[in-house]
């Protein structure tokens, strides 16, 4: 059960940093809709209607034939996806929850809100186009015809729900442009990676359609019809249309030459609009012109509330606490004992030891704390919603630190140095007691200060052409394409927080073995122990691969010592490739067929994600506001 801080955190995130299904959809502009807004709404509704009619009159018709023609069925499905892409930008932004019924991931989902009450946890069955794809690709199984018919009926009905919702929705110019920009971010992070068409892999054709749909929308806001923004849009569409092969598509060129310029152009249009705009507290800063802006991400987005946000005074206090062995029951272990700065705040061990028994290993590998603030859940099993909860749980753990908060508060209250630091950080007045919430918030604030999005890859995406070698650029393209790494490790954070809203961390079932010599499934049930949903057995959070060169060994149990071993595991199809019978494996069981040269390029790219020392660039600690 979550403590009070966790509950506050969830409410804060749900209201201020979630998908726009609650915040965005609930906002009604305080003025009558303009002709421009009505025109946008009319266009989107027309595209939704075309999609619904095609599903009903063509796709459903093909499936319902006595002897369906597989080729015609695939063609009808692909056309359905293209029609959906015409209005994806609007549906995903203004009706996020309903949109999941049209094109949600083909896996069960558990919302963060359900983690507040373990007795109320329920999974949401997958539905929509990605589920339909699984019935048709790689080959149509006529034995599942009735299941497919049922899915298409649901898709038609849910499209009508979206249409009904959207027809009553009030739009605003700045929200329309915000939605358009997020669609560009969606394309460069998900669209060109095969994320939502993993089997058909028509990523370039679909991304082209998405961008074509934005052109008339953006045109409504341009005074100059010869705008460079339209030129960039047209150029991006042309590039996609003439480079359709999934494996060879140059994603680095596309993002740098087109994607970044288009999102920056839309940002300029939005900023030029008159009138008030709602300021969201989302992890991706609203003002970000590209995903690679130095300040694109908000380290405080998942803090439990405004009063929990990091400040320099809190960070200074948190750093001192981080290195203090007095927080442990034995007075011999600090946070830094397992999170060492020289190892990107890991410990270099397969698994660390029980604080009381040096011969007994902890259950999981120690993860990095660098960029930990840019996640929505913590621990490998996602069980904590805030860094504050995570810190408290580690302190109280009998195996990790075995600390007593009562003893810690007594120690801190008697220490004059700490008294001064707590006073500065939390404005404690005379005779006010230090409390546990302040201790965990200080520690969490220090971790938030460890945000470093300043690697050579970031320099490259910000315009420094020679920041990456040719091999590293090739590795990036493979990572984003053929190797399908980016369908789980999402750019640019390269963790499992799904773009473009960067709200919730995904969980994957990989089939990690017990050891290099024993290919049976590791017994750790992971996220299943938190949610009790069968599809999540042996599922774990997707960690960031930033600073991966320093964070070996890898996987939740530390089984792999080298990145070569990790690449071989994925290349062979995860657990399935090791001979495991794991029906809920979410990683594709199909081999990737990567060459030795390709694997080396991917590793070179991943190693380019190493952070520079925080003193060499504007780090989070230096940009935190004073209170």
């Amino acid at each position: 059960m979550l403590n009070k801080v966790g509950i506050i955190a969830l409410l804060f995130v749900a209201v201020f940093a979630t998908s726009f299904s609650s915040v965005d959809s609930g906002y009604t502009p305080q003025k009558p809709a303009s002709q421009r807004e009505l025109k946008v709404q009319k266009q989107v509704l027309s595209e939704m209607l075309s999609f619904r009619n095609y599903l009903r009159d063509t796709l459903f018709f093909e499936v319902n034939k006595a002897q369906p023609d597989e080729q015609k069925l695939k063609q009808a499905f692909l056309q359905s996806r293209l029609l959906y892409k015409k209005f994806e930008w609007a549906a995903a932004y203004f009706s996020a929850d309903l949109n999941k019924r049209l094109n949600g991931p083909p896996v069960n989902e558990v919302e963060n809100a359900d983690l507040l009450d373990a007795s109320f946890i329920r999974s949401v069955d997958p539905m929509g186009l990605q589920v339909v794809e699984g019935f048709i690709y790689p080959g149509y199984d006529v034995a599942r015809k009735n299941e497919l018919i049922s899915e298409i009926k649901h898709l038609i009905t849910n499209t009508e729900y979206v249409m009904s919702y959207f027809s009553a929705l009030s739009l605003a110019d700045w929200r329309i442009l915000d939605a358009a920009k997020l669609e560009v971010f969606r394309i460069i992070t998900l669209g060109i990676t095969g994320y939502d068409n993993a089997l058909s892999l028509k990523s370039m054709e679909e991304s082209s359609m998405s961008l074509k749909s934005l052109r008339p929308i953006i045109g409504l806001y341009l005074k100059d019809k010869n705008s460079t923004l339209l030129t960039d849009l047209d150029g991006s569409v042309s590039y996609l249309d003439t480079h359709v092969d999934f494996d060879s598509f140059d994603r680095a060129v596309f993002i740098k030459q087109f994607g970044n310029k288009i999102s920056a152009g839309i940002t300029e249009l939005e900023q030029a609009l008159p009138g008030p705009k709602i300021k969201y507290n989302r992890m991706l800063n609203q003002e970000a012109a590209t995903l690679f802006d130095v300040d694109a991400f908000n380290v405080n987005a998942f803090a439990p509330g405004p009063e929990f946000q990091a400040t320099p005074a809190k960070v200074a206090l948190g750093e001192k606490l981080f290195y203090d062995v007095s927080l442990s029951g034995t007075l011999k272990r600090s946070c830094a004992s397992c999170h060492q700065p020289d190892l990107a705040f890991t410990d270099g061990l397969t698994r660390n030891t029980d604080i009381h028994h040096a011969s007994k290993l902890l259950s999981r590998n120690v993860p990095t704390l660098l960029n930990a603030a840019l996640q929505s859940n913590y621990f490998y099993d996602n069980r904590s919603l805030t860094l504050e909860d995570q810190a408290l749980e580690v302190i109280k753990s009998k195996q990790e630190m075995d600390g007593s908060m009562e003893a810690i508060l007594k120690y801190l209250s008697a220490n004059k140095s700490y008294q001064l630091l707590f006073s500065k950080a939390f404005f404690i007045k005379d005779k006010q007691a230090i409390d546990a919430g302040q201790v965990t918030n200080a520690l969490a604030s220090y971790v938030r200060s460890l945000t470093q999005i300043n690697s050579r890859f970031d320099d490259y995406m910000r315009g420094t052409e020679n920041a990456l070698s040719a091999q590293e650029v090739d590795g990036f393209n493979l990572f984003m394409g053929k190797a399908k790494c980016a369908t789980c490790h999402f750019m640019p954070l390269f963790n499992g927080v799904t773009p473009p809203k960067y709200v919730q961390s995904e969980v994957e079932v990989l089939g990690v073995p017990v050891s290099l010599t024993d290919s049976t499934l590791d017994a750790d049930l992971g996220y299943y122990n938190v949610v009790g949903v069968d599809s999540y057995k042996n599922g774990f959070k997707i960690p960031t691969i930033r600073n991966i060169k320093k964070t070996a060994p890898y996987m939740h149990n530390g089984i792999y010592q080298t990145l070569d071993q990790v690449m071989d595991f994925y290349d062979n199809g995860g657990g399935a490739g090791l001979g495991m019978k794991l029906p809920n494996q979410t990683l594709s069981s199909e081999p990737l067929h990567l060459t030795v040269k390709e694997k080396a390029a991917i590793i070179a790219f991943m190693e380019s994600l190493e952070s520079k020392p925080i003193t060499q660039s504007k780090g989070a600690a230096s940009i935190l506001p004073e209170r």
Side-chain angles (χ1 to χ4, degrees), residues 373-391:
L374 305 181
Q375 300 175 56
S376 58
N377 297 72
Y378 305 95
F379 294 109
Y380 273 109
D381 57 14
N382 264 1
R383 66 184 182 271
S384 286
L385 294 180
T386 72
L387 284 168
E388 282 78 5
D389 283 344
Q390 185 266 348

Side-chain angles (χ1 to χ4, degrees), residues 233-246:
L233 268 170
D234 292 340
S236 68
V237 168
S238 177
Y239 190 86
L240 289 162
D241 289 345
T242 54
H243 299 80
V244 297
D245 182 68
F246 183 84

Side-chain angles (χ1 to χ4, degrees), residues 554-575:
Y554 308 106
M555 302 298 183
H556 70 274
N557 59 359
I559 177 180
Y560 295 125
Q561 295 292 325
T562 70
L563 289 173
D564 295 285
Q565 293 170 341
V566 174
M567 288 304 305
D568 288 342
F569 172 77
Y570 283 109
D571 187 35
N572 294 325

Side-chain angles (χ1 to χ4, degrees), residues 10-28 91-98 100 111 113 165 169 175 278 280-281 501 503:
L10 183 71
L11 294 175
F12 181 72
V13 171
V15 174
F16 295 104
T18 74
S19 66
F20 300 110
S21 55
S22 57
V23 177
D24 281 28
S25 301
Y27 170 71
T28 302
Y93 185 94
F94 292 100
S95 52
D97 289 340
L98 288 174
K100 286 183 180 179
E111 295 292 337
Y165 175 84
L169 186 67
R175 298 172 78 218
I278 284 182
Y280 296 122
N281 181 58
K501 296 173 182 176
V503 171

Side-chain angles (χ1 to χ4, degrees), residues 195-210:
Y195 174 78
D196 66 344
N197 53 25
L199 302 176
S200 56
L201 290 181
K202 296 294 183 181
S203 298
M204 310 317 140
E205 294 93 324
E206 292 186 10
S207 296
S208 174
M209 181 61 75
S210 296

Side-chain angles (χ1 to χ4, degrees), residues 521-624:
L521 180 65
D522 186 279
D524 192 334
L525 293 177
Y527 194 44
Y528 173 80
N529 288 332
V530 179
V531 298
V533 176
D534 286 347
S535 60
Y536 284 116
K537 284 183 177 178
N538 308 103
F540 295 91
K541 182 178 75 173
I542 303 165
T544 183
I545 61 163
R546 283 181 176 271
N547 300 290
I548 198 167
K549 186 176 181 179
K550 291 184 175 181
T551 60
Y554 308 106
M555 302 298 183
H556 70 274
N557 59 359
I559 177 180
Y560 295 125
Q561 295 292 325
T562 70
L563 289 173
D564 295 285
Q565 293 170 341
V566 174
M567 288 304 305
D568 288 342
F569 172 77
Y570 283 109
D571 187 35
N572 294 325
L578 295 172
M580 295 180 193
K581 303 298 182 184
L582 191 61
N584 66 321
Q585 179 174 312
T586 55
L587 176 70
S588 173
S589 60
E590 295 297 317
L592 295 170
H593 303 295
L594 297 170
T595 66
V596 172
K597 182 179 179 181
E598 287 173 335
K599 291 178 186 177
I602 294 169
I603 291 172
F605 159 66
M606 292 193 293
E607 291 181 346
S608 79
L609 293 169
E610 183 174 340
S611 299
K612 302 169 190 172
I614 203 163
T615 55
Q616 293 182 12
S617 67
K618 186 171 69 171
S622 66
I623 60 174
L624 295 172

Side-chain angles (χ1 to χ4, degrees), residues 46-76:
S46 174
E47 290 163 347
M48 289 178 177
L49 180 62
S50 295
F51 175 67
R52 192 283 307 268
N53 289 347
Y54 190 86
L55 292 174
R56 182 191 62 193
D57 300 337
T58 303
L59 182 59
F60 184 79
F61 175 78
E62 289 295 336
V63 174
N64 211 30
K65 287 180 177 178
Q67 293 183 318
D69 182 304
E70 181 174 325
Q71 204 56 38
K72 289 184 178 179
L73 182 56
K74 286 183 175 179
Q75 289 173 356

Side-chain angles (χ1 to χ4, degrees), residues 45-57 59 77 79-85 87 102 129 155-156 158-159 163:
L45 284 170
S46 174
E47 290 163 347
M48 289 178 177
L49 180 62
S50 295
F51 175 67
R52 192 283 307 268
N53 289 347
Y54 190 86
L55 292 174
R56 182 191 62 193
D57 300 337
L59 182 59
F77 169 74
Q79 181 61 25
S80 298
R81 283 197 57 87
L82 288 175
L83 290 171
Y84 164 76
K85 289 293 176 177
F87 64 86
L102 304 188
L129 290 166
L155 188 53
I156 293 169
N158 288 326
T159 303
M163 291 169 62

